[in-house]
Amino acid sequence: MPSHISYSKLERTYTPNFRNRINTARSTNDVYDVFCHTVASMFNDITDSKKFRDSDIDFYPERACHYELGTNLKREPSVVECLHTSDMGRILDDMAQTATNRHTHLMKHPEKTNSKIMRH
């Protein structure tokens, strides 16, 4: 049985910038972009490659599982292993929940979003 690996150090590296960018997102599209970009960057760091892109991740705030990894990620053996033998699934779930909360807030208050856009 493989040992359990922790990516908490990676999580601590990405979380501050991720939360800052999510909290300052002006639209639901910004939330989508920030989440997908961050997840792709994390997997690029884990696999020491730069082949994953934002388009390899989909964000679905309306679903129970708020994200889906694309075929490129699902086919990568190191990513599959990482998801099965580490806390990466929990990290992604936490990030997706944060993004979903911001997405929901922006959907409930579109007038705030529009006023921020007009001011800048």
Side-chain angles (χ1 to χ4, degrees):
M1 182 171 169
S3 62
H4 186 75
I5 300 168
S6 177
Y7 286 103
S8 59
K9 185 176 181 179
L10 184 70
E11 179 183 22
R12 286 190 303 270
T13 301
Y14 277 90
T15 297
N17 187 45
F18 171 74
R19 287 188 185 212
N20 183 46
R21 291 180 63 204
I22 286 291
N23 290 335
T24 59
R26 295 180 178 177
S27 70
T28 55
N29 287 339
D30 290 346
V31 172
Y32 180 92
D33 292 342
V34 169
F35 177 79
C36 294
H37 176 76
T38 304
V39 172
S41 296
M42 289 174 73
F43 279 119
N44 283 333
D45 282 354
I46 289 170
T47 61
D48 292 326
S49 72
K50 299 295 180 204
K51 65 182 179 181
F52 301 120
R53 298 174 177 209
D54 301 3
S55 58
D56 290 323
I57 299 100
D58 284 316
F59 176 60
Y60 299 108
E62 68 281 355
R63 291 186 185 174
C65 181
H66 302 300
Y67 65 93
E68 186 175 330
L69 303 179
T71 0
N72 286 341
L73 283 163
K74 289 179 182 177
R75 288 185 187 161
E76 179 68 34
S78 57
V79 169
V80 173
E81 181 182 352
C82 164
L83 291 170
H84 291 312
T85 62
S86 75
D87 57 352
M88 183 53 79
R90 180 208 45 87
I91 293 168
L92 294 178
D93 290 344
D94 289 350
M95 292 173 66
Q97 188 60 54
T98 299
T100 298
N101 292 346
R102 179 63 177 167
H103 184 277
T104 301
H105 175 77
L106 291 171
M107 291 295 291
K108 287 182 179 178
H109 303 286
E111 70 285 350
K112 290 182 181 179
T113 302
N114 291 335
S115 69
K116 284 182 183 179
I117 291 171
M118 296 300 193
R119 281 188 275 164
H120 287 79

